[in-house]
Amino acid sequence: MSAHHSHGSYTPKTGIEKWFDQRLPLPRLMYDSFVAYPVPRNLNYFYTFGGILSIMLVAQILTGVVLAMHYAADTRLAFDSVEKIMRDVNSGWLLRYLHSNGASFFFIAVYVHMMRGLYYGSYKAPRELLWILGCIIYLLMMATGFMGYVLPWGQMSFWGATVITGFFSAIPLVGTWIQELLLGGFAVENPTLNRFFALHYLLPFMIAGVVVLHIWALHVTGQTNPTGIEVKSKTDTVPFSPHATMKDAFAMVVFLAIFAYFVFYIPNFLGHPDNYIVADPLKTPAHIVPEWYYLPFYAILRAITFSIGPIDSKLGGVLAMFGSIAILFFVPWLDTSKVRSAVYRPWYKLFFWIFVANAVFLGWLGSKPAEGLYIPLMQVSTFYYFAFFLIIMPLLGLIETPRKLPNSITEAVLHKTGGAPAHPAGATAAPETKG
Amino acid sequence: MSAHDTVDQNRRDFLYVATGVAGAVGAAGVAWPFIDQLRPDASTLALATIEVDVSSLEPGMSLTAKWRGKPVFIRNRTPQEIEEAKSVPLDELKDPVARNQNINADAPATDADRSAGEGKENWIVMIGSCTHLGCVPLGQQGDFGGWFCPCHGSHYDTAGRIRKGPAPENLAIPTYQFVSDTVIRIG
């Protein structure tokens, strides 16, 4: 379908272009994917985060590769080698702060990107695989981020790794065997650090591979848009260049400006001071917390303080935590609504925003100790997290009355339905419609 | 006419399946070393036994040894601590099992079964790793005068038994023995 609405086609002009086109049509692929490729004319700024994520991945790989030239994956050297990067290596402080804050901003972008997908129903047929590939990327990101945080070999590195690998010991029968397989020993030690470094270096390239599949799948089905209506005619789309490239570039500049503020002014704001204390296997920090982007899941883990039949609270917590991520894979089938976008689903819109607020609240709870009032709050919040996917999504599709859909993207842009003013909230209008 | 002209379908299916199975077994055999190398290596296993001199520990003193990367608490308990632990009825315990590698797996968590045994009831040797999520508990703290885990608030008594908080089990007792009156071999 994308080819059908394509804006112009690639014609090799020079001799070398023709020569290439007959042997390896890479310029043609680039032209079709990033120049003539039709995108819906009503994409808003929430649709720029895919591009932002791409450059964050490239930036993380670049800074990571050069940091690896100075880092030593040995428990006796790791902490000092990171300090050496900070003090002695030329521009080392900048590269490390770019990398550590880059991880956080990578996750900020991916959370916005995922929320965009959930809000506009981007996961619905025929884009289920596109969504699942995204979930796989997110899982790989979490594994990469976790192992990266272990490398500086500070107190939070060590104890975070101890607690997280400890999850596997909750698995009945084979749990301890799996835990020792992951650790390469009986506790977090040198073999653990070594393999985490190797995998931390490998996984981003696997992410890049899945990103290629993700973009491929995107270009097969075409992008969704805020109306959730499929592209029907050429007037519904604009060519990728210059429209999407310019919009993406502007969003990247704004995003990177905020990123730069963190890197240059508050580089340790998102980190934990305890990680500047070298790892001590005999002394636990008073309060172990993971990186902020895992906090909601940490709250879910600790919300299960009770046994469920034969499942004790420890295994129950681990299952709930992994389940909270696994459930994302099933979203395309849990949502029963025929209408894609929350713009036309008043009830879904309400529950969606409660879900977002609840996720942020879970994150805040994750930073708190598991005691007193925090525990029932974690339980209520965890319940809503699962209820949103398992109860609200399937039921709402059956009982909700959606608003009237416009006939096409063009109609939605040019004659706003529902008597709304010409330019309602959420900058949905493409630039050219503003005259 | 001859047997060569007809295909014995059963025989052919069998050959396909047999080939597939042989391939799968071969692939698994090749994959195994890649998984096997992740397991604790020989040098890690060689450190699986340590000897600790405890001659300097007077009653009321403890030391922490490092065994398999984890702390091991060795404490010479005071008579008062032993009395306190003995006076606790077993039905008050959250985890009624001794968790002592040196005796039967289902032995009850009496003070004697938690300690180094008859004649050495003042000694207690435990892995200093909270059974909740692996933090190191602090000694002689908490509501029961034993150990207290600051991470998620688990309280252990003077015999290292879980009494309050999220931890599911008593502190684990590793395999150990007194090789002399003053030296303990752990592992």
Side-chain angles (χ1 to χ4, degrees):
Chain A
M1 72 162 250
S2 52
H4 179 69
H5 300 293
S6 189
H7 295 262
S9 63
Y10 177 70
T11 2
K13 295 182 195 78
T14 61
I16 187 137
E17 282 179 89
K18 284 179 186 141
W19 188 87
F20 254 94
D21 201 47
Q22 285 158 4
R23 288 161 179 80
L24 179 71
L26 200 58
R28 179 181 293 277
L29 180 71
M30 290 295 138
Y31 185 89
D32 290 346
S33 304
F34 302 111
V35 180
Y37 180 71
V39 293
R41 62 192 293 176
N42 58 339
L43 296 187
N44 60 32
Y45 275 105
F46 287 109
Y47 285 82
T48 62
F49 280 84
I52 288 171
L53 284 161
S54 307
I55 58 159
M56 288 314 293
L57 177 62
V58 172
Q60 286 302 89
I61 289 177
L62 282 179
T63 51
V65 166
V66 292
L67 285 170
M69 295 176 185
H70 304 279
Y71 172 77
D74 182 305
T75 53
R76 289 164 302 180
L77 306 171
F79 187 85
D80 289 342
S81 75
V82 172
E83 285 310 302
K84 186 170 141 32
I85 288 169
M86 294 302 290
R87 294 152 196 256
D88 296 348
V89 174
N90 299 320
S91 303
W93 61 273
L94 175 60
L95 292 164
R96 174 162 178 265
Y97 279 152
L98 283 171
H99 197 71
S100 60
N101 284 283
S104 282
F105 275 75
F106 204 158
F107 274 96
I108 289 173
V110 89
Y111 284 134
V112 176
H113 193 64
M114 291 162 79
M115 287 302 128
R116 194 289 321 275
L118 279 178
Y119 186 81
Y120 292 121
S122 307
Y123 45 82
K124 286 188 192 181
R127 296 181 182 80
E128 303 95 323
L129 275 180
L130 178 59
W131 171 264
I132 288 171
L133 288 164
C135 293
I136 292 170
I137 293 170
Y138 176 55
L139 260 184
L140 289 170
M141 279 175 65
M142 293 182 92
T144 310
F146 158 64
M147 288 190 278
Y149 195 53
V150 176
L151 304 184
W153 205 243
Q155 274 288 67
M156 280 299 163
S157 302
F158 181 89
W159 289 102
T162 298
V163 169
I164 289 175
T165 54
F167 296 163
F168 293 90
S169 70
I171 303 168
L173 303 175
V174 293
T176 308
W177 190 84
I178 292 174
Q179 191 191 8
E180 286 174 10
L181 194 78
L182 292 171
L183 295 172
F186 306 103
V188 176
E189 281 188 288
N190 198 52
T192 321
L193 180 64
N194 236 308
R195 67 191 52 186
F196 278 16
F197 178 58
L199 293 172
H200 182 71
Y201 205 119
L202 167 71
L203 288 187
F205 296 97
M206 293 179 66
I207 292 176
V210 185
V211 167
V212 169
L213 297 180
H214 191 64
I215 296 174
W216 184 10
L218 174 72
H219 283 206
V220 169
T221 60
Q223 271 153 313
T224 56
N225 65 85
T227 66
I229 304 165
E230 291 289 356
V231 168
K232 288 176 180 160
S233 70
K234 200 169 168 178
T235 58
D236 287 345
T237 66
V238 288
F240 193 92
S241 291
H243 298 274
T245 30
M246 281 300 128
K247 196 161 190 154
D248 280 359
F250 180 68
M252 281 173 196
V253 168
V254 173
F255 187 83
L256 291 178
I258 301 168
F259 175 45
Y261 177 78
F262 274 74
V263 169
F264 289 105
Y265 292 96
I266 43 172
N268 288 304
F269 181 76
L270 297 166
H272 198 292
D274 275 19
N275 223 27
Y276 284 105
I277 302 169
V278 67
D280 182 353
L282 301 184
K283 190 170 178 294
T284 308
H287 185 52
I288 299 178
V289 280
E291 289 275 74
W292 69 266
Y293 34 85
Y294 304 127
L295 286 174
F297 304 102
Y298 196 54
I300 290 173
L301 168 82
R302 298 179 304 159
I304 311 298
T305 53
F306 44 86
S307 301
I308 309 159
I311 300 169
D312 66 18
S313 57
K314 186 172 161 183
L315 179 60
V318 171
L319 289 176
M321 192 193 67
F322 282 112
S324 66
I325 298 162
I327 206 166
L328 295 172
F329 285 79
F330 300 96
V331 163
W333 296 277
L334 288 171
D335 186 348
T336 53
S337 175
K338 295 217 164 33
V339 175
R340 200 174 268 139
S341 170
V343 172
Y344 303 99
R345 299 184 60 192
W347 283 105
Y348 178 75
K349 189 189 273 182
L350 174 71
F351 286 115
F352 169 84
W353 286 114
I354 297 173
F355 176 80
V356 173
N358 183 62
V360 173
F361 184 56
L362 265 178
W364 178 75
L365 286 171
S367 71
K368 298 290 165 194
E371 58 189 34
L373 188 61
Y374 294 128
I375 294 174
L377 287 175
M378 284 176 192
Q379 288 165 343
V380 170
S381 207
T382 298
F383 176 78
Y384 184 79
Y385 181 96
F386 282 100
F388 177 76
F389 292 113
L390 293 174
I391 301 170
I392 295 170
M393 270 197 168
L395 272 187
L396 217 50
L398 305 176
I399 59 176
E400 183 184 38
T401 312
R403 286 173 51 201
K404 189 180 174 297
L405 291 171
N407 290 316
S408 70
I409 295 170
T410 307
E411 185 191 290
V413 172
L414 298 181
H415 326 278
K416 282 291 173 183
T417 49
H423 299 296
T428 50
E432 68 278 8
T433 63
K434 289 177 180 164
Chain B
M1 179 72 213
S2 71
H4 295 288
D5 296 336
T6 57
V7 172
D8 182 342
Q9 200 59 47
N10 281 334
R11 190 183 165 93
R12 186 156 284 190
D13 285 350
F14 173 79
L15 286 171
Y16 278 143
V17 172
T19 310
V21 168
V25 170
V30 173
W32 176 245
F34 289 85
I35 296 165
D36 191 36
Q37 56 82 25
L38 289 170
R39 295 165 61 226
D41 68 13
S43 68
T44 306
L45 294 173
L47 293 175
T49 303
I50 57 164
E51 292 195 351
V52 184
D53 182 355
V54 295
S55 57
S56 61
L57 291 186
E58 299 292 328
M61 292 170 73
S62 314
L63 67 75
T64 304
K66 197 174 158 202
W67 176 67
R68 290 180 161 187
K70 286 180 187 166
V72 173
F73 297 153
I74 302 173
R75 180 165 176 82
N76 189 350
R77 297 185 298 168
T78 61
Q80 189 202 349
E81 287 174 342
I82 301 167
E83 280 313 308
E84 259 178 52
K86 274 186 174 165
S87 66
V88 179
L90 284 184
D91 53 12
E92 262 186 34
L93 297 175
K94 182 177 177 184
D95 177 16
V97 185
R99 308 285 168 196
N100 186 339
Q101 290 281 321
N102 305 285
I103 56 176
N104 286 338
D106 54 355
T110 61
D111 183 66
D113 281 348
R114 295 279 303 164
S115 73
E118 250 185 284
K120 292 202 180 304
E121 287 180 341
N122 52 324
W123 290 101
I124 189 156
V125 178
M126 306 179 297
I127 295 176
S129 180
C130 182
T131 56
H132 183 227
L133 287 170
C135 299
V136 179
L138 306 168
Q140 289 66 62
Q141 287 191 29
D143 294 358
F144 301 90
W147 285 265
F148 170 70
C149 181
C151 288
H152 305 104
S154 293
H155 299 255
Y156 298 89
D157 66 12
T158 55
R161 296 173 297 197
I162 179 67
R163 300 294 294 278
K164 191 176 149 190
E169 292 178 6
N170 301 327
L171 288 175
I173 295 175
T175 309
Y176 70 92
Q177 63 182 93
F178 277 85
V179 286
S180 73
D181 274 353
T182 56
V183 175
I184 299 176
R185 180 194 294 144
I186 303 171

